[in-house]
Amino acid sequence: MVGRKLVLFLLCISVVAPIVLYTDPLATQPSYLADIHLGDEIPTLKSVDAVREPSGIVYPENSTNPDQISVHDSGRAVASNTTTLPSGKNGDRKNRVLSQDNNQTAPSETDDGAVIRQVTSRETSEGATAMESQTVLPTQSRNQQKPGKRSKRDSGRMPDAKIQQFRDQLMKAKVSLGLSSSKSNPEFIRELKERVKDVERTLAYATEDTELPINAQEKLEAMEQTLAKGKQTQQDCCAVVKKLRRFYLSAEEQLRVHKKRELFLTQVAAKTLPRGLHCLSLRLTTDYYSLDSCQQQLPNRDKLENPRLYHYALFSDNVLATAVVVNSTVFHAKDPQSHVFHIVTDKLNYAAMKMWFLANPPAKATVQVQNVEEFTWLNSSYSPVLKQLASRSMIDYYFRSQHAKSDQNLKFRNPKYLSIMNHLRFYLPEIFPKLNKVVFLDDDVVVQKDLTPLWAIDLKGKVNGAVETCGESFHRFDRYLNFSNPLIAETFDPHACGWAYGMNVFDLDEWKKQNITDVYHHWQNLNDDRQLWKLGTLPAGLITFWNSTYPLERSWHVLGLGYSLNVEQKDVEAAAVIHYNGNLKPWLEIGMTKYRNFWSNYVDYNQAYLRDCNINP
């Protein structure tokens, strides 16, 4: 009996006591939960005072300018003193808004989920209202706009029109500050300088209208008011015109200086060997000299002088660029084993060039690498250009000695012209005495089709088959030759169409019959003082092959990928050979990304040498 009472007592404690203890807290529920009934599906929130966020400004992460605070909702900016809170890993903005105005209502939600925010106005220092209260309806506003479209009011404005307005104001302000009539009014000068500082601070953080701070319009209007005061005191219109003209001439001079500097830096970047290519040449050279002499020979030497095969001439000191030319040609060749590539390079890159093709043989094609230093017949007693290149006046011309008269056009002061490599194209019969026809390729081209049909083209007794470039006015003879010289004016037509080096078919038999090399030597001797044309191979080629050039169809050779963004994509894709002529070569960082893939498609960046030298796409 005693045990039964003990059990009942413990049961009361464990079951009844919790009910008694929790009954009173349930009865004392908060006032904002008093209207909740069990039958209601969604409780309503009667008061938000208990959960209101503290007022204040929360600045965005990494913000350096407190004025650059704006509210964005669905890509739409709200000009106010409010800001949003970042949340999540990607900094997504919450739909909460913290306001400096304690009377601002909290965001409410319409039936379709549109968020309505009442935005209060800012007060200027004079107490005037700068902006009226506005309501933003992202989905159901009366003036709703679809993304990407402007309202009728803004349809005629440029995307950065306000930025331009600020810049125009700065120009007007600087003109006003320099006028004598303004200097006599120190109060106006002080006010204008303050406005200039405000505008400069406003523009300091912005490159687009969307990046302007929320008080930009106030700054704009304040400056306009100050400039209007200046107009009232300014009576001398001639002084204003003279001042504006000086500003204009100064801006023109600055533009000229910057363009010249840009040209110089581009030339330097274009002619400087990238670190990766320098590394590649060193690694290849080291590995080449570690081989036995029998391992240093390229295969298929019996094909080098076979006139029935398809022979290419390539003169380059750039290993990677040469590899792209060979790879792209072989890739599109229907019968790769019938194609022979004759590569001539300088002594410095000979071992590296040879090692590359020993390590990366191009399918079944044949490659020959020669050292220009081994051409003993090519000397100053035979070649006038070699004699000129070694002269003191020529060296001074390129390296701009203080006592030498140098050309101001950097294009014609390129040290590459001091290399005989650039003039080897005029000695093809001497280099390949047993061949009948060769296709000459520059090292900055990419082949996109089978070039075999080139050997079947009838050149009609001409020596040089090339694509004409007279579609543009600057590719005619008068742009390359000095027609003020009577010798040039009497011999050539200034409006004759130029043609392109880079992909040329040369009939070596006709070359020998017409003594083209002697023609070249004759004109080079006449141009010893550079009065007939500036240095380079194209002017010399235009003269040498005058009346000896056969025009090829334009699709064989498309140029301009190294300097122009206006080459049509369809022309590039349809071309047999595309040419990156110009300074913006695809292997340089300054190369145009628009066309780079056409070149990089033929580079195997997983190749060990390229990986070791950190050469990446």
CSV table of all heavy atoms in Angstrom, one decimal, residues 16 19 33 67 98-99 113 144-146 186 243 245 276 297 338 365 381 395 473 483 490 498 503 508 609:
chain,number,residue,atom,x,y,z
A,16,VAL,N,1.7,16.0,-13.9
A,16,VAL,CA,0.8,17.1,-13.6
A,16,VAL,C,1.6,18.4,-13.4
A,16,VAL,O,1.2,19.5,-13.9
A,16,VAL,CB,0.0,16.8,-12.4
A,16,VAL,CG1,-0.9,18.0,-12.0
A,16,VAL,CG2,-0.8,15.5,-12.6
A,19,ILE,N,2.3,20.6,-16.5
A,19,ILE,CA,1.1,21.3,-17.0
A,19,ILE,C,0.8,22.6,-16.2
A,19,ILE,O,0.5,23.6,-16.8
A,19,ILE,CB,-0.1,20.4,-16.9
A,19,ILE,CG1,0.2,19.2,-17.9
A,19,ILE,CG2,-1.4,21.1,-17.3
A,19,ILE,CD1,-0.9,18.1,-17.8
A,33,LEU,N,0.5,39.0,-30.5
A,33,LEU,CA,0.0,37.6,-30.8
A,33,LEU,C,-1.4,37.3,-30.3
A,33,LEU,O,-1.9,36.2,-30.4
A,33,LEU,CB,1.0,36.6,-30.2
A,33,LEU,CG,2.4,36.6,-30.7
A,33,LEU,CD1,3.2,35.5,-30.0
A,33,LEU,CD2,2.4,36.3,-32.2
A,67,ASP,N,29.8,59.1,-50.5
A,67,ASP,CA,28.7,59.7,-51.3
A,67,ASP,C,28.2,58.6,-52.3
A,67,ASP,O,27.2,58.8,-52.9
A,67,ASP,CB,29.2,60.9,-52.1
A,67,ASP,CG,29.4,62.1,-51.1
A,67,ASP,OD1,28.8,62.1,-50.1
A,67,ASP,OD2,30.2,63.0,-51.5
A,98,LEU,N,17.8,50.4,-44.8
A,98,LEU,CA,18.0,51.2,-43.6
A,98,LEU,C,18.0,52.6,-44.0
A,98,LEU,O,18.7,53.0,-44.9
A,98,LEU,CB,19.4,50.8,-42.9
A,98,LEU,CG,19.5,49.4,-42.5
A,98,LEU,CD1,20.9,49.2,-41.9
A,98,LEU,CD2,18.4,48.9,-41.7
A,99,SER,N,17.2,53.5,-43.2
A,99,SER,CA,17.1,54.9,-43.6
A,99,SER,C,17.6,55.8,-42.5
A,99,SER,O,17.5,55.4,-41.3
A,99,SER,CB,15.6,55.1,-43.9
A,99,SER,OG,15.4,56.5,-44.1
A,113,GLY,N,3.8,40.7,-55.1
A,113,GLY,CA,5.1,40.6,-54.6
A,113,GLY,C,6.0,41.7,-54.9
A,113,GLY,O,7.2,41.7,-54.6
A,144,GLN,N,6.6,52.1,-65.4
A,144,GLN,CA,7.5,51.0,-65.5
A,144,GLN,C,8.2,50.9,-66.8
A,144,GLN,O,7.6,51.1,-67.9
A,144,GLN,CB,6.7,49.7,-65.2
A,144,GLN,CG,7.5,48.4,-65.3
A,144,GLN,CD,6.6,47.2,-65.1
A,144,GLN,OE1,5.4,47.4,-64.8
A,144,GLN,NE2,7.1,46.1,-65.3
A,145,GLN,N,9.5,50.5,-66.8
A,145,GLN,CA,10.3,50.3,-68.0
A,145,GLN,C,10.8,48.8,-68.0
A,145,GLN,O,11.2,48.3,-67.0
A,145,GLN,CB,11.5,51.2,-68.0
A,145,GLN,CG,11.2,52.6,-68.3
A,145,GLN,CD,12.4,53.5,-68.4
A,145,GLN,OE1,12.5,54.4,-67.6
A,145,GLN,NE2,13.3,53.2,-69.2
A,146,LYS,N,10.9,48.3,-69.2
A,146,LYS,CA,11.5,46.9,-69.3
A,146,LYS,C,13.0,47.1,-69.2
A,146,LYS,O,13.6,48.1,-69.6
A,146,LYS,CB,11.1,46.3,-70.6
A,146,LYS,CG,9.6,45.9,-70.7
A,146,LYS,CD,9.3,45.2,-71.9
A,146,LYS,CE,7.8,44.9,-72.0
A,146,LYS,NZ,7.5,44.2,-73.2
A,186,PRO,N,36.7,88.6,-56.2
A,186,PRO,CA,37.3,87.5,-55.4
A,186,PRO,C,36.3,86.6,-54.8
A,186,PRO,O,36.5,85.4,-54.6
A,186,PRO,CB,38.1,88.2,-54.3
A,186,PRO,CG,37.5,89.6,-54.3
A,186,PRO,CD,37.1,89.9,-55.7
A,243,LYS,N,40.3,82.6,-74.9
A,243,LYS,CA,40.7,81.7,-73.9
A,243,LYS,C,40.3,80.3,-74.3
A,243,LYS,O,41.0,79.3,-74.1
A,243,LYS,CB,39.9,82.0,-72.6
A,243,LYS,CG,40.4,81.3,-71.4
A,243,LYS,CD,41.8,81.7,-70.9
A,243,LYS,CE,42.2,81.0,-69.7
A,243,LYS,NZ,43.6,81.4,-69.3
A,245,ARG,N,40.0,79.2,-77.3
A,245,ARG,CA,40.9,78.8,-78.4
A,245,ARG,C,42.2,78.3,-77.9
A,245,ARG,O,42.7,77.3,-78.4
A,245,ARG,CB,41.1,79.9,-79.4
A,245,ARG,CG,42.0,79.5,-80.6
A,245,ARG,CD,42.0,80.6,-81.6
A,245,ARG,NE,42.8,80.2,-82.8
A,245,ARG,CZ,42.4,79.4,-83.8
A,245,ARG,NH1,41.2,78.9,-83.7
A,245,ARG,NH2,43.2,79.1,-84.7
A,276,GLY,N,58.7,34.5,-72.3
A,276,GLY,CA,58.4,33.1,-72.6
A,276,GLY,C,59.1,32.6,-73.8
A,276,GLY,O,59.7,31.5,-73.8
A,297,GLN,N,70.3,15.7,-86.9
A,297,GLN,CA,69.9,15.8,-88.3
A,297,GLN,C,68.4,15.5,-88.5
A,297,GLN,O,67.8,14.6,-88.0
A,297,GLN,CB,70.6,14.7,-89.2
A,297,GLN,CG,72.2,14.9,-89.1
A,297,GLN,CD,72.6,16.3,-89.6
A,297,GLN,OE1,72.1,16.8,-90.6
A,297,GLN,NE2,73.6,16.8,-88.9
A,338,SER,N,54.1,15.5,-99.2
A,338,SER,CA,54.6,16.2,-100.4
A,338,SER,C,55.0,17.6,-100.2
A,338,SER,O,55.4,18.3,-101.1
A,338,SER,CB,53.5,16.1,-101.5
A,338,SER,OG,53.2,14.8,-101.9
A,365,ALA,N,55.5,15.7,-93.2
A,365,ALA,CA,56.1,16.8,-94.0
A,365,ALA,C,57.6,16.9,-93.7
A,365,ALA,O,58.1,16.3,-92.7
A,365,ALA,CB,55.4,18.1,-93.7
A,381,SER,N,80.1,42.6,-101.0
A,381,SER,CA,80.6,42.8,-102.3
A,381,SER,C,79.5,42.3,-103.4
A,381,SER,O,79.5,42.8,-104.5
A,381,SER,CB,81.9,42.0,-102.6
A,381,SER,OG,81.7,40.6,-102.4
A,395,ILE,N,73.5,52.8,-89.2
A,395,ILE,CA,73.5,52.5,-87.8
A,395,ILE,C,73.1,53.7,-87.0
A,395,ILE,O,72.2,53.6,-86.1
A,395,ILE,CB,74.8,51.9,-87.3
A,395,ILE,CG1,75.1,50.6,-88.0
A,395,ILE,CG2,74.8,51.7,-85.8
A,395,ILE,CD1,76.5,50.0,-87.8
A,473,SER,N,43.2,53.4,-100.0
A,473,SER,CA,44.0,54.4,-100.7
A,473,SER,C,45.5,54.4,-100.3
A,473,SER,O,46.4,54.7,-101.0
A,473,SER,CB,43.4,55.8,-100.5
A,473,SER,OG,43.4,56.1,-99.1
A,483,PHE,N,57.5,60.3,-104.9
A,483,PHE,CA,57.3,60.8,-106.3
A,483,PHE,C,57.7,62.2,-106.5
A,483,PHE,O,57.5,62.7,-107.6
A,483,PHE,CB,55.8,60.6,-106.6
A,483,PHE,CG,55.4,59.2,-107.0
A,483,PHE,CD1,55.1,58.2,-106.1
A,483,PHE,CD2,55.5,58.9,-108.4
A,483,PHE,CE1,54.8,57.0,-106.5
A,483,PHE,CE2,55.2,57.6,-108.8
A,483,PHE,CZ,54.8,56.6,-107.8
A,490,GLU,N,59.1,59.5,-113.1
A,490,GLU,CA,59.2,59.1,-114.6
A,490,GLU,C,59.0,57.7,-114.8
A,490,GLU,O,58.7,57.2,-115.9
A,490,GLU,CB,60.5,59.6,-115.1
A,490,GLU,CG,60.7,61.1,-115.2
A,490,GLU,CD,62.1,61.5,-115.5
A,490,GLU,OE1,62.9,60.6,-115.8
A,490,GLU,OE2,62.4,62.7,-115.5
A,498,GLY,N,49.2,48.6,-105.0
A,498,GLY,CA,50.2,47.8,-104.2
A,498,GLY,C,49.8,46.4,-104.0
A,498,GLY,O,48.6,46.0,-104.4
A,503,MET,N,52.3,36.1,-98.3
A,503,MET,CA,51.9,34.8,-99.0
A,503,MET,C,52.1,35.1,-100.5
A,503,MET,O,51.2,35.8,-101.1
A,503,MET,CB,50.5,34.4,-98.7
A,503,MET,CG,50.2,32.9,-99.0
A,503,MET,SD,50.1,32.6,-100.8
A,503,MET,CE,48.6,33.5,-101.2
A,508,LEU,N,60.6,30.8,-110.0
A,508,LEU,CA,62.1,31.1,-109.9
A,508,LEU,C,62.7,31.0,-111.3
A,508,LEU,O,63.7,31.6,-111.6
A,508,LEU,CB,62.7,30.1,-109.0
A,508,LEU,CG,62.2,30.1,-107.5
A,508,LEU,CD1,63.0,29.2,-106.7
A,508,LEU,CD2,62.3,31.5,-107.0
A,609,TYR,N,58.0,22.0,-73.5
A,609,TYR,CA,58.8,23.2,-73.6
A,609,TYR,C,57.9,24.4,-73.3
A,609,TYR,O,58.4,25.3,-72.6
A,609,TYR,CB,59.4,23.4,-75.0
A,609,TYR,CG,60.6,22.4,-75.2
A,609,TYR,CD1,60.5,21.4,-76.1
A,609,TYR,CD2,61.8,22.6,-74.5
A,609,TYR,CE1,61.6,20.5,-76.3
A,609,TYR,CE2,62.9,21.8,-74.7
A,609,TYR,CZ,62.8,20.7,-75.6
A,609,TYR,OH,63.8,19.9,-75.8
